[in-house]
Amino acid sequence: MEIATILSLAFLVLVIVALAKTARIVPQRSAFIVERLGKYAKTLEAGFHLLIPFVDRVSYKHTLKEEAIDVPSQACVTRDNIQVVVDGVLYLQVVDPKLASYGINDYRYASMQLAQTTLRSVVGKIDLDKTFEERETINVQVVEALDEAAKPWGVKVLRYEIADIELPATILDALEKQMRAERERRAVVAQSEGEREAKINVSEGQKQETINLSEADKQRQINEAEGKAREIELIATATAEGLRRVAEAINTAGGQEAVSLRVAEQYVKEFGKLAQTNNTMILPAELSNIGSAVAAITKTLEVTKK
């Protein structure tokens, strides 16, 4: 009885093990590599699968998702012989599970090592000052080299990102001094440019002020000249009109007598002014006779008329 029970239990265990080895469920975005008697048989994709117990065996399991692999820090020497420590992150994806299983023993480790060696080679071609500026270029070159090398492994290298670049303390101190000097130089240049612009603005203002003053003075002189010319023109016109009217008045009846009377009045008036301003006067003898002076002036007018 005990032997029968033991055999029954053994058979049950055997059935359970056989079922476990026969039925396989593959998760989404995964792939299982099946070997039959030690030889590659097929690749199981996502879903439920039945295998031949004790004949088929799942040898490799791969995820088809994108993987991020941390690349450890490593020392790299730039073209100008400066040692820097660089670490990064590598992103890759299995595209052929069979090649990933049999093309290489460990594609993750191999990709990481290849990324390090490629990075050292790329950084060795760049000067220290450009390592920070050309990160994108370094990333692209590393990806191109890795992707070409990983094709036989059934792996697609998607991208590589430099996480950090560490510099020696002496280089950091030198760079800080250089940046400080550059900032001070820019500050001096900016200040000098500001002073230059201020002086230019002041000189331009003074120049414009001088031009405005000269233009104003020029316009004033022009206005004064035009005013004087207009004044002379008006005086001449008025004088000519007055002489014309005097001439017309002389030619009318009684004009000669009126002129003689007017001349006599002016003569007496002006003679009186001379007597007021001077105590001693020297006069021609004929000017003492008003009648003769008026007659002489009247005779001159008649001669002029003729």
Side-chain angles (χ1 to χ4, degrees):
M1 187 66 181
E2 293 180 357
I3 296 176
T5 302
I6 294 173
L7 291 175
S8 299
L9 292 175
F11 180 77
L12 181 60
V13 170
L14 182 62
V15 171
I16 293 174
V17 172
L19 290 175
K21 289 182 173 292
T22 300
R24 285 300 178 95
I25 298 176
V26 181
Q28 184 67 29
R29 299 291 296 170
S30 297
F32 290 179
I33 301 297
V34 177
E35 293 181 351
R36 181 167 296 170
L37 300 176
K39 184 180 179 181
Y40 171 78
K42 57 183 176 179
T43 300
L44 301 182
E45 298 180 353
F48 178 78
H49 301 274
L50 293 175
L51 303 178
I52 301 174
F54 306 107
V55 176
D56 293 339
R57 181 174 66 92
V58 175
S59 302
Y60 301 96
K61 296 180 180 180
H62 298 287
T63 177
L64 302 181
K65 299 177 183 178
E66 183 177 345
E67 300 180 60
I69 301 175
D70 184 24
V71 180
S73 302
Q74 62 171 335
C76 302
V77 179
T78 62
R79 189 170 64 176
D80 47 356
N81 296 323
I82 304 298
Q83 181 174 311
V84 295
V85 178
V86 184
D87 64 344
V89 181
L90 181 65
Y91 297 86
L92 51 81
Q93 183 180 18
V94 174
V95 294
D96 191 332
K98 180 180 177 181
L99 292 178
S101 302
Y102 301 105
I104 193 170
N105 185 39
D106 188 346
Y107 67 84
R108 295 183 181 86
Y109 177 78
S111 299
M112 183 179 61
Q113 294 298 316
L114 185 58
Q116 289 182 323
T117 57
T118 305
L119 181 63
R120 285 196 296 268
S121 176
V122 173
V123 172
K125 301 176 183 178
I126 302 175
D127 293 332
L128 176 64
D129 295 339
K130 295 184 179 180
T131 54
F132 296 94
E133 300 175 4
E134 299 187 3
R135 284 193 177 190
E136 186 64 28
T137 303
I138 296 173
N139 295 337
V140 171
Q141 293 182 8
V142 171
V143 170
E144 290 178 353
L146 287 176
D147 189 48
E148 186 65 27
K151 285 182 179 180
W153 307 340
V155 176
K156 175 68 176 177
V157 178
L158 302 175
R159 58 188 180 277
Y160 176 82
E161 298 291 340
I162 294 177
D164 189 22
I165 299 178
E166 297 181 6
L167 301 177
T170 55
I171 301 300
L172 282 175
D173 184 61
L175 289 177
E176 289 179 359
K177 290 181 180 179
Q178 180 181 357
M179 293 302 298
R180 192 181 306 114
E182 180 65 19
R183 285 193 294 269
E184 292 176 356
R185 184 189 69 82
R186 291 180 181 178
V188 172
V189 170
Q191 182 178 0
S192 63
E193 288 291 336
E195 293 176 354
R196 174 174 173 272
E197 290 294 332
K199 290 180 180 179
I200 291 175
N201 292 337
V202 171
S203 64
E204 288 291 338
Q206 293 175 350
K207 174 184 175 183
Q208 191 62 40
E209 181 182 6
T210 303
I211 292 174
N212 292 340
L213 291 175
S214 64
E215 289 290 339
D217 185 64
K218 174 184 175 182
Q219 190 64 39
R220 180 184 60 78
Q221 294 178 3
I222 292 173
N223 293 338
E224 289 180 355
E226 291 179 351
K228 290 180 181 179
R230 182 61 178 167
E231 179 183 3
I232 293 172
E233 181 182 357
L234 293 175
I235 291 174
T237 302
T239 303
E241 181 66 20
L243 292 175
R244 185 182 63 80
R245 291 184 180 182
V246 169
E248 292 177 354
I250 291 173
N251 293 328
T252 60
Q256 293 288 340
E257 292 76 6
V259 170
S260 299
L261 178 60
R262 184 64 176 171
V263 169
E265 290 178 351
Q266 291 294 327
Y267 182 88
V268 173
K269 182 178 179 181
E270 296 298 326
F271 188 81
K273 290 182 179 179
L274 290 174
Q276 292 176 0
T277 57
N278 296 286
N279 294 326
T280 303
M281 294 183 294
I282 299 175
L283 297 173
E286 63 271 12
L287 292 180
S288 60
N289 188 353
I290 298 175
S292 60
V294 172
I297 296 172
T298 303
K299 185 177 181 180
T300 302
L301 292 173
E302 290 176 354
V303 172
T304 303
K305 179 179 178 183
K306 292 177 180 181

